[in-house]
Amino acid sequence: MKNIKIAVLLLFIAGALSSCLETETPEPASILTGEWEVENVMADGEVEFVSMSSLHLNNNGKFLFINVDNFASAGDWQSESTDKLTLTGDDDYIQEYTVAYVDWDKLEIFRAMTIGESTVTIRYLMRRIN
């Protein structure tokens, strides 16, 4: 009887410890939320410039993008999955990005843009600043 009690106690402790070790997959919005500084902008794989622009993705679903020339745009953002980011400006202009890479410190997004008759892929490499 004493051995059964010890075995049950050990199973309970093992179960409690294993549940503590499991990590939850973060929601897409939680890992993207924060302030990001644009480190590099690439067009079709070529480094265009080092930028000091910043993208603020607030946890209330609002965004603020401040360009290197201090031009700002704001609106709503959403991410239904870890590979998509949609910015809808206050002027209803929609920008849909593919998230190539994200972790708690780095973010890489890109989208295709048509300029005249050419289509260019613009890629932003960012680091978290807050």
Coordinates of all heavy atoms in Angstrom, one line a residue, residues 39-51 121 123 125:
E39 N 16.0 48.3 -40.3 CA 17.4 48.3 -40.4 C 17.9 48.4 -41.9 O 18.8 49.1 -42.2 CB 18.1 47.1 -39.8 CG 17.9 47.1 -38.3 CD 18.7 45.9 -37.7 OE1 18.5 44.8 -38.2 OE2 19.3 46.1 -36.6
N40 N 17.2 47.7 -42.8 CA 17.5 47.6 -44.2 C 16.3 47.5 -45.0 O 15.3 46.9 -44.6 CB 18.4 46.5 -44.5 CG 19.8 46.6 -44.0 OD1 20.4 47.7 -44.2 ND2 20.4 45.6 -43.4
V41 N 16.3 48.1 -46.2 CA 15.2 48.0 -47.1 C 15.8 47.4 -48.4 O 16.8 48.0 -48.9 CB 14.5 49.3 -47.4 CG1 13.4 49.1 -48.4 CG2 13.9 49.9 -46.1
M42 N 15.3 46.4 -48.9 CA 15.8 45.8 -50.1 C 14.7 45.7 -51.2 O 13.6 45.5 -50.9 CB 16.2 44.3 -49.8 CG 17.3 44.2 -48.8 SD 17.6 42.6 -48.2 CE 18.2 41.8 -49.6
A43 N 15.1 46.0 -52.4 CA 14.3 45.9 -53.6 C 14.8 44.9 -54.5 O 16.0 45.0 -55.0 CB 14.2 47.3 -54.3
D44 N 14.0 43.8 -54.8 CA 14.5 42.7 -55.6 C 15.8 42.1 -55.2 O 16.7 41.9 -56.0 CB 14.5 43.1 -57.1 CG 13.1 43.2 -57.6 OD1 12.1 42.5 -57.1 OD2 12.9 43.8 -58.7
G45 N 16.0 42.0 -53.9 CA 17.2 41.4 -53.4 C 18.5 42.3 -53.2 O 19.5 41.9 -52.7
E46 N 18.4 43.5 -53.7 CA 19.5 44.5 -53.6 C 19.2 45.4 -52.4 O 18.1 46.0 -52.3 CB 19.6 45.3 -54.9 CG 19.8 44.5 -56.1 CD 21.2 43.8 -56.1 OE1 22.1 44.4 -55.6 OE2 21.3 42.6 -56.6
V47 N 20.2 45.6 -51.6 CA 20.1 46.6 -50.5 C 20.0 48.0 -51.0 O 20.9 48.4 -51.7 CB 21.3 46.4 -49.5 CG1 21.2 47.5 -48.4 CG2 21.3 45.0 -48.9
E48 N 18.9 48.6 -50.7 CA 18.6 49.9 -51.2 C 19.2 51.0 -50.3 O 19.9 51.9 -50.7 CB 17.1 50.2 -51.4 CG 16.5 49.4 -52.5 CD 17.0 49.8 -53.9 OE1 17.0 51.0 -54.2 OE2 17.5 48.9 -54.6
F49 N 18.9 50.9 -49.0 CA 19.4 51.8 -48.1 C 19.2 51.3 -46.6 O 18.4 50.4 -46.4 CB 18.8 53.2 -48.2 CG 17.3 53.2 -48.1 CD1 16.6 53.3 -46.9 CD2 16.5 53.0 -49.3 CE1 15.2 53.3 -46.9 CE2 15.1 53.0 -49.2 CZ 14.5 53.2 -48.0
V50 N 20.0 51.9 -45.8 CA 19.8 51.6 -44.3 C 18.8 52.7 -43.9 O 19.0 53.9 -44.1 CB 21.1 51.7 -43.6 CG1 20.9 51.6 -42.1 CG2 22.1 50.7 -44.1
S51 N 17.8 52.3 -43.2 CA 16.7 53.2 -42.9 C 16.6 53.4 -41.4 O 17.0 52.5 -40.6 CB 15.4 52.7 -43.4 OG 14.3 53.5 -42.9
T121 N 9.7 43.5 -55.6 CA 9.5 43.0 -54.3 C 10.3 43.8 -53.3 O 11.6 43.9 -53.4 CB 9.9 41.5 -54.2 OG1 9.2 40.8 -55.1 CG2 9.7 41.0 -52.8
R123 N 11.5 44.4 -49.5 CA 11.7 43.6 -48.2 C 12.2 44.5 -47.2 O 13.2 45.3 -47.4 CB 12.7 42.5 -48.5 CG 12.9 41.5 -47.4 CD 13.8 40.3 -47.9 NE 13.2 39.6 -49.0 CZ 12.4 38.5 -48.9 NH1 12.2 38.1 -47.7 NH2 12.0 37.9 -49.9
L125 N 13.9 44.6 -43.3 CA 14.5 43.9 -42.3 C 14.5 44.8 -41.0 O 15.0 45.9 -41.1 CB 15.9 43.5 -42.6 CG 16.1 42.8 -44.0 CD1 17.6 42.7 -44.3 CD2 15.4 41.5 -44.0

